[in-house]
Amino acid sequence: MPQHWQKELKKALKGTAMDSISGASMYHPAGHQLFSTVVTDSQLQQADLNDPLDPISLQFIPQIKEKITHPEFKSDPVGDGAATASTGLIHKYQGRVLLIASGSCAVNCRYCFRRHFEYNKNFAPRNNWQEAVKYISHDESIHEVILSGGDPLTLSTEKLKGLTDQLEALAHVKTLRIHSRIPVVLPQRIDSEFTDFLKQLKLNIVMVLHINHSQELSKDAQSAIQALKACHGLILNQSVLLKDINDDAATLVQLSHDLHDLGVMPYYLHTLDKVQNASHFEVPLSQAQSIHKQLQTRLPGYLVPKLCTEIKGQDSKTWVNNA
Ligand code: SF4
């Protein structure tokens, strides 16, 4: 019997939000044809579809601007292909590997750096994660496994347990990091089965949420984050700096305070990964640095996210806080 959150996810993936979205002034089917529209009822309830500058609508509603192609924007902006070490396993940085745990998300963010990613060829859970676990078991320098996607929390808790049981048998793996937008966009997914699963894990747990604007934080999302807090892991947030959505200091100061109220620490403020069809979201680096400077003067240091960019082929993210 599918759980409530699974039914909601299925609805979002089927595009049932299209009825409300296609009436929005910014909607254009050309964007949808390039990257399908997926959004949950939960996020739509937070949006004002009649406002062309609404920070939620801009993130999830397809626009004609997605047809723009830009010579500096690529289908694989961060070099995932070159860093793929085995099926669905990306090994870019020392000590950490990233697993493509799912090909689905509960929302399709229009600026997504993996909007052109070939998930059908890169899917780590195949055959109960066998290939990925074999790779990790042969490299004792790997101490952290990062679940990404797509969104790893689109998988059932049982499927996630199938992986963690195997990771916990590897003495060199200490930390499980989960990158997910789901606690905010599909908060009912954070059910007691999932929090019980987290609580019994022996691995260190790091959850990295993805929230760009305080308006995303519905009451249900706040409750889901509080439920995660009770699991005693570290909870961080990363945001992407996006034109007309959060490209001003006041919005980001508010977000840092709201995250702190929920016990979530701001971690990264990413510049936009230059993925083809999303160039209209770009904020110039000089403007990003000026916004970041204002954050430094208006927030205590522990609430200032690091401004960073990902450069293909580099062995870490690059901090670009200063000009
Ligand atoms: S949730 Fe993450 S992976 Fe999924 S569409 Fe949004 S940015 Fe991309």
Side-chain angles (χ1 to χ4, degrees):
M1 163 85 76
Q3 297 184 357
H4 179 53
W5 69 265
Q6 286 168 320
K7 288 188 196 152
E8 287 300 313
L9 176 63
K10 213 165 162 188
K11 246 176 88 184
L13 290 169
K14 270 190 171 167
T16 53
M18 285 302 279
D19 286 348
S20 18
I21 279 184
S22 53
S25 58
M26 70 182 75
Y27 173 78
H28 198 284
H32 172 71
Q33 277 150 19
L34 289 165
F35 186 40
S36 62
T37 311
V38 179
V39 60
T40 55
D41 287 345
S42 169
Q43 275 305 279
L44 279 184
Q45 281 159 14
Q46 295 297 107
D48 178 355
L49 297 176
N50 296 317
D51 176 0
L53 286 178
D54 179 74
I56 294 189
S57 304
L58 284 168
Q59 292 184 57
F60 304 125
I61 297 186
Q63 296 186 60
I64 186 71
K65 290 175 185 167
E66 292 177 43
K67 283 199 79 168
I68 300 169
T69 55
H70 189 296
E72 284 175 26
F73 283 64
K74 309 290 178 200
S75 59
D76 177 9
V78 296
D80 281 341
T84 297
S86 82
T87 308
L89 184 147
I90 296 175
H91 196 175
K92 258 184 209 173
Y93 304 144
Q94 264 182 39
R96 290 148 280 170
V97 289
L98 181 146
L99 302 189
I100 301 295
S102 169
S104 306
C105 292
V107 288
N108 274 354
C109 312
R110 309 312 301 173
Y111 53 85
C112 178
F113 70 114
R114 291 207 178 106
R115 58 180 283 160
H116 300 288
F117 192 82
E118 291 187 285
Y119 286 109
N120 53 344
K121 293 191 189 150
N122 294 283
F123 186 61
R126 203 165 286 152
N127 302 322
N128 196 24
W129 312 89
Q130 255 177 26
E131 231 186 288
V133 172
K134 190 171 167 200
Y135 181 92
I136 297 164
S137 69
H138 287 168
D139 185 344
E140 293 198 356
S141 72
I142 297 168
H143 55 80
E144 179 169 2
V145 175
I146 303 165
L147 301 188
S148 180
D151 197 311
L153 295 192
T154 55
L155 297 182
S156 68
T157 302
E158 192 186 354
K159 190 120 199 158
L160 292 168
K161 190 165 169 5
L163 172 67
T164 55
D165 283 350
Q166 297 178 74
L167 294 179
E168 289 191 328
L170 304 175
H172 57 281
V173 177
K174 306 288 184 202
T175 300
L176 180 73
R177 191 191 324 171
I178 302 174
H179 282 197
S180 180
R181 203 144 166 48
I182 276 192
V184 169
V185 299
L186 187 67
Q188 58 269 51
R189 166 67 184 101
I190 310 303
D191 56 12
S192 56
E193 186 193 2
F194 181 66
T195 52
D196 288 348
F197 158 72
L198 285 185
K199 283 177 192 161
Q200 58 78 37
L201 283 176
K202 293 180 204 77
L203 296 161
N204 301 317
I205 301 296
V206 182
M207 290 278 313
V208 182
L209 308 180
H210 173 178
I211 306 165
N212 299 317
H213 193 287
S214 292
Q215 197 176 313
E216 293 166 45
L217 290 165
S218 65
K219 284 265 174 292
D220 287 345
Q222 294 178 38
S223 301
I225 292 170
Q226 273 151 0
L228 290 173
K229 273 303 284 177
C231 300
H232 308 298
L234 177 63
I235 309 189
L236 306 171
N237 182 60
Q238 55 184 354
S239 306
V240 182
L241 188 61
L242 298 163
K243 184 169 161 44
D244 295 334
I245 294 172
N246 59 5
D247 57 342
D248 65 278
T251 296
L252 292 169
V253 165
Q254 185 65 50
L255 177 61
S256 276
H257 283 307
D258 290 343
L259 291 170
H260 188 218
D261 286 347
L262 291 166
V264 178
M265 297 311 288
Y267 172 41
Y268 278 142
L269 176 62
H270 285 271
T271 61
L272 182 75
D273 292 319
K274 295 190 176 195
V275 67
Q276 196 57 274
N277 309 107
S279 60
H280 54 290
F281 287 109
E282 192 181 27
V283 176
L285 182 59
S286 57
Q287 187 188 342
Q289 287 169 328
S290 154
I291 292 168
H292 195 262
K293 187 98 193 135
Q294 293 174 60
L295 297 187
Q296 290 174 57
T297 58
R298 292 168 65 176
L299 286 166
Y302 58 88
L303 290 185
V304 180
K306 294 182 183 88
L307 181 65
C308 74
T309 197
E310 184 160 347
I311 302 172
K312 221 178 198 171
Q314 297 277 320
D315 54 12
S316 71
K317 301 213 185 220
T318 303
W319 297 0
V320 288
N321 292 354
N322 301 307

